[in-house]
Amino acid sequence: MRIIGGEQRGRRLARRQGGSIRPLRDRVRTALFDTLGEAVRDAEVLDLFAGTGAVGLEALSRGARYATFVDSSAEAIRLIRKNVSRLGYSGRAEIIQEDARRAVKTLGRQGRQFSLVFIGAPYETGLAAETMKALVEALPLRPGALVIAETFHKDALGDDFKPLRLVDSRIYGETRLTYFRFGSRKENR
């Protein structure tokens, strides 16, 4: 697993072989960031169920201002810390060990606002939808923010997360990426 683009392109990330951490495959991460394009530049990123931190680190490499990584697993937190340090992003990263739904609510109470949120919950657990609901309740989002949820390809999230608006859904093998926008209908993706 490596960084696909930006200033750290080609740099390898530490990861656990096997186990419960399922990083977003390079091919899917490439498609995600190709779709996001310039939306990453200067973004405040929230990487939920961060695992190895690959999505948030990819965003930092491509010009995001800051990334907050959240995972409940001590092993994932260790890997994220190692990868953040390895790439020299310690000054542009915050790492939180907590349940993603609780973390979203805490960040909302603190008045934090993110322009790009990635939810990489374990497949077929319902956690992506539950985290979307927590996100809608807390709304730690800037106007025009993009929220991307990764699910199993057969699990469509639908448009049940008002005021977030479903704007796109794409399937890559066993992975579905669903894109939501927080803001007016006039804004383009």
Side-chain angles (χ1 to χ4, degrees), residues 3 46 48 67 70 97 121 184:
I3 297 294
L46 178 58
L48 299 168
V70 177
Q97 183 176 354
S184 75

Side-chain angles (χ1 to χ4, degrees), residues 14 32 54 60 76 87 94 121 131 156 175 187:
L32 167 66
L60 289 171
L87 298 180
E94 176 183 12
T131 304
T175 301
E187 295 168 329

